Amino acid sequence: MTAQLTEPAARAWQADPYADALRAGQGPLYLRRHDGWLLPLEVERWCAEPDAADETVLARCTGPVLDIGCGPGRLVAALAGLGRTALGVDVTPEAVTRTVRAGGSALCRSVFDPLPREGGWATVLLIDGNIGIGGDPAALLRRAAELTAPGGSLLVEVATADVDERVEVHVEDGAGGRGASFWWARLGTRALCAEAKAAGWAPYDTWQEAGRLFVHLIH
């Protein structure tokens, strides 16, 4: 996977339904598969303060933190508020704007583009299903390994179901607005750990909070 291959997905996430939802701080917003399968996106939660599940992620962050697909930046802003070094990366300009407005630091670019401190991040985050970015978890996990310092951590939010799928989807708002199609992935714990091992990651811990499921990997 290269930065070039992620460009269609980047354009999709910059489409009006997603940007408009972030601007408003609320949905409805969905990922829809061509066969009609629908996944509600939790825009209100993303735009709110960190919840109890997020706090468990923040408590596991050590050293400089990189949040891949930071969205409106609740985790980056929370870490900044604690005096921690944290950077968000997102392909959506509105997401970066909201992150900065909330007090965090963020760059508008793909994770596959050159990034600051490559190989020096102590903790890398793939939260809110962001293991799905690009529809190629193996490539994303390899890229995360390039970004993480030796002995560093990758904290991944996974699907609560035992799922392993790559699907073509688009963003829609339920009122006729829709973005371009792009590839996305959904992984449960077992599938993630299999992909992670091949990319040089070792499982360290798993935990659940408020109906969400997380895996801690070590580089």
Side-chain angles (χ1 to χ4, degrees):
M1 177 74 69
T2 67
Q4 186 176 10
L5 292 177
T6 68
E7 287 176 1
R11 288 195 295 271
W13 285 110
Q14 293 168 14
D16 286 345
Y18 180 62
D20 289 347
L22 289 189
R23 197 171 293 114
Q26 62 184 26
L29 196 69
Y30 309 93
L31 284 185
R32 183 180 290 274
R33 196 163 62 193
H34 292 306
D35 64 3
W37 172 90
L38 199 66
L39 177 68
L41 300 177
E42 299 180 86
V43 178
E44 290 86 351
R45 179 174 66 77
W46 298 347
C47 292
E49 296 295 315
D51 62 14
D54 294 328
E55 293 291 349
T56 67
V57 173
L58 295 171
R60 286 167 168 80
C61 290
T62 60
V65 180
L66 178 67
D67 186 358
I68 297 172
C70 66
R74 71 188 188 281
L75 300 180
V76 175
L79 289 165
L82 296 171
R84 305 283 299 280
T85 298
L87 177 68
V89 176
D90 203 286
V91 297
T92 306
E94 183 61 30
V96 172
T97 297
R98 286 195 65 124
T99 300
V100 173
R101 189 185 305 141
S105 297
L107 295 174
C108 188
R109 65 183 66 172
S110 165
V111 63
F112 296 100
D113 292 337
L115 295 175
R117 205 190 288 260
E118 295 214 7
W121 297 100
T123 306
V124 173
L125 305 179
L126 284 168
I127 306 301
D128 300 326
N130 282 333
I131 186 62
I133 289 172
D136 189 344
L140 184 57
L141 288 163
R142 289 194 299 269
R143 177 59 175 147
E146 293 173 352
L147 295 165
T148 308
S153 297
L154 178 62
L155 307 182
V156 185
E157 183 170 356
V158 295
T160 54
D162 185 15
V163 62
D164 182 5
E165 63 181 15
R166 286 81 171 136
V167 292
E168 192 174 5
V169 297
H170 62 265
V171 179
E172 65 176 50
D173 60 13
R178 59 172 289 171
S181 295
F182 61 98
W183 286 95
W184 195 251
R186 294 177 66 234
L187 274 67
T189 302
R190 182 166 60 176
L192 172 70
C193 289
E195 294 281 9
K197 182 178 180 181
W201 294 96
Y204 177 77
D205 190 21
T206 62
W207 76 98
Q208 284 186 282
E209 181 67 34
R212 295 164 62 192
L213 179 59
F214 304 90
V215 178
H216 184 170
L217 303 168
I218 297 295
H219 180 40

